[in-house]
Amino acid sequence: MKVFQPMLFVGLGGTGGQVGSELERRLRTELCGPDGTALSRIGVQLPYQLPECLQFVYADFSEAELDLLPLNSVSDPTLRTAFRKTARVTHDLLPPHDSSSEVNQVLRAKFRRETEGWLPPERNEPRITPLSKGAGQYPTIGRAALFGTLQHSLKGVMDPLSEAINAIARSGPALAQLGGNQITGCDVFVSFSVAGGTGAGIFLDYLHLIAEAFKQKGFQGVKIHPLVVMPSAFAAGAGGGPEAELNAARSLIDLFRLVDEQNRPMSSAELGDVEENTGGLRITYPMATPIRMRPGLMPTGFLFSRTAGIRPDDLRRSIVSLVMSLIGTELGDGPANGGVARDGNDQTFASSFLNHERQRTERAPSGIGPQGGLHQPGRLAHRAGGRTGRSDVRADARRGRGRPRR
């Protein structure tokens, strides 16, 4: 397998962690060889250690889910060291409170302006304790817990992202020996479910924080790809059902609106204006400057639903196959040789796919927003030479309606 562009994978919640674990396994199978030493030729020192151009960051409130990640679950100390060279866990995600009611009380008292648009009223609010077991399928609890963590500084979330970006920035020699040229950008894959509380609660914030981390490092050419697992991927009583569908409805409105703005950004009447009515979407955190994503960073996203006969692990493997096709499909050889015909100056299939889909900025036939929001993995598999695995995985591509509450 060749790698043409650096990659950062960010897994949010239990679903993001499972997808990331499968992606790590597949990459080690393809790159490290049967005995794990195939990359020693490019200076990788430990068996089964991935190159620095491939980085992973995980975030979850549930300690039990974090313990299942490869860098935490492997018993061999040498392997654990190798895995932690390219994977990081956001350890400081939990706020300094055990219960959601305590977090909400602090936010209402100290940060009413930042939270009044989305934090539920105290009466009849859901209560979860301890938060170390997760957000209990309540997205507002997940987001409140994140805000509780960030009430003094963004450092707890930004540090693991910054460390991964630093590693990618110095990975040029390894990337060159894996088939790529000089570093001109980075593909960022953010995987989460919109059915539960953690992923649905913090994904919008993480998309902005990831963009801000790259901005602070002066890293150009970044493209962010949301990998969204829909409620149909979970059985009723096991993460699915009506509650999951309600969570997804609110989350998808937020996601679609953000994608629409990325493709057709609103212009501000005054330079430096950060108000929502003139400058588009932004998120304000306690003790921090409002954060906005630069237009064009996230021009599309991928929604994955489970169809008849497909198991959850099949769905995760299909997501991983899509990622590997995006970072490892070579342009210039033509479809007959397993590649994609080169068009312009794009080096990877991911850049070609994103840069030449001009119809995303055109008005949708329904008249509701641009038509280019989300994509169907089945169609993408055909364009990538059929390398995304199973063809029975579909994507729900609907246009967003309404306004997210901030």
Side-chain angles (χ1 to χ4, degrees):
M1 175 184 176
K2 295 183 178 180
V3 179
F4 301 98
Q5 184 93 318
M7 180 208 74
L8 170 61
F9 179 93
V10 180
L12 305 179
T15 298
Q18 291 171 349
V19 174
S21 298
E22 177 64 18
L23 178 58
E24 285 194 59
R25 186 191 68 79
R26 284 280 298 278
L27 286 170
R28 289 191 172 94
T29 299
E30 294 284 344
L31 295 173
C32 298
D35 62 353
T37 62
L39 292 179
S40 59
R41 60 184 173 82
I42 65 171
V44 174
Q45 298 177 346
L46 298 175
Y48 298 103
Q49 178 185 336
L50 292 174
E52 283 191 317
C53 58
L54 303 173
Q55 295 288 321
F56 294 79
V57 174
Y58 298 100
D60 199 345
F61 297 113
S62 172
E63 296 292 341
E65 293 288 350
L66 293 176
D67 288 341
L68 298 176
L69 296 173
L71 74 163
N72 290 331
S73 61
V74 65
S75 57
D76 188 315
T78 302
L79 288 179
R80 190 182 306 117
T81 301
F83 292 179
R84 292 183 178 183
K85 293 284 187 180
T86 55
R88 293 163 179 81
V89 170
T90 309
H91 291 289
D92 299 326
L93 197 62
L94 282 171
H97 306 284
D98 289 333
S99 69
S100 61
S101 57
E102 291 178 287
V103 173
N104 291 347
Q105 185 179 22
V106 171
L107 294 180
R108 292 190 189 98
K110 298 174 62 176
F111 309 107
R112 181 174 297 274
R113 177 178 175 272
E114 292 86 352
T115 61
E116 62 183 355
W118 56 268
L119 191 65
E122 184 175 3
R123 183 179 180 182
N124 297 325
E125 71 175 2
R127 291 176 170 82
I128 295 294
T129 185
L131 289 172
S132 60
K133 291 187 176 181
Q137 211 170 6
Y138 291 104
T140 51
I141 288 180
R143 193 167 196 223
L146 179 64
F147 266 68
T149 300
L150 303 179
Q151 61 181 292
H152 301 300
S153 170
L154 304 182
K155 183 178 175 62
V157 169
M158 298 293 277
D159 279 357
L161 295 172
S162 297
E163 292 171 6
I165 295 171
N166 288 338
I168 289 172
R170 60 175 180 260
S171 67
L175 182 66
Q177 296 194 53
L178 289 171
N181 293 325
Q182 65 180 11
I183 297 175
T184 58
C186 181
D187 287 314
V188 183
F189 298 92
V190 186
S191 179
F192 55 92
S193 162
V194 290
T198 301
I202 69 176
F203 81 89
L204 193 65
D205 297 278
Y206 253 89
L207 292 174
H208 284 76
L209 292 168
I210 291 167
E212 181 67 14
F214 277 98
K215 177 183 176 182
Q216 291 180 4
K217 295 294 182 181
F219 202 112
Q220 302 296 318
V222 176
K223 292 297 182 182
I224 300 176
H225 316 275
L227 306 173
V228 187
V229 179
M230 299 294 285
S232 63
F234 307 94
E243 296 87 356
E245 293 172 0
L246 289 172
N247 290 344
R250 177 74 268 174
S251 300
L252 292 179
I253 289 175
D254 286 354
L255 179 61
F256 293 152
R257 185 183 174 202
L258 181 58
V259 169
D260 284 351
E261 186 181 82
Q262 285 286 295
N263 287 301
R264 300 184 66 177
M266 297 171 58
S267 60
S268 174
E270 299 181 14
L271 292 176
D273 194 345
V274 295
E275 292 301 318
E276 184 175 359
N277 60 351
T278 60
L281 286 171
R282 89 282 185 265
I283 297 180
T284 302
Y285 296 100
M287 313 299 291
T289 303
I291 294 176
R292 291 184 58 200
M293 289 179 63
R294 181 175 59 81
L297 287 181
M298 196 185 78
T300 189
F302 303 92
L303 307 185
F304 296 87
S305 296
R306 186 166 61 131
T307 55
I310 187 171
R311 300 174 302 178
D313 56 339
D314 294 328
L315 183 64
R316 290 192 292 271
R317 283 194 290 267
S318 295
I319 298 173
V320 168
S321 294
L322 171 63
V323 173
M324 295 187 68
S325 290
L326 285 173
I327 66 173
T329 299
E330 186 171 11
L331 294 180
D333 292 338
N337 295 326
V340 180
R342 182 179 294 276
D343 181 12
N345 296 320
D346 296 297
Q347 182 185 5
T348 66
F349 173 60
S351 60
S352 174
F353 170 70
L354 292 172
N355 291 339
H356 298 277
E357 293 273 326
R358 294 187 180 91
Q359 65 266 31
R360 285 196 307 270
T361 63
E362 299 174 1
R363 179 67 59 180
S366 64
I368 304 175
Q371 63 176 296
L374 297 240
H375 282 275
Q376 180 176 356
R379 292 176 59 197
L380 188 61
H382 176 73
R383 292 190 56 189
R387 292 173 61 181
T388 58
R390 299 178 64 92
S391 60
D392 57 355
V393 179
R394 64 182 176 85
D396 297 304
R398 307 185 185 94
R399 302 282 70 79
R401 303 173 182 84
R403 295 169 62 89
R405 298 174 63 187
R406 289 286 163 272

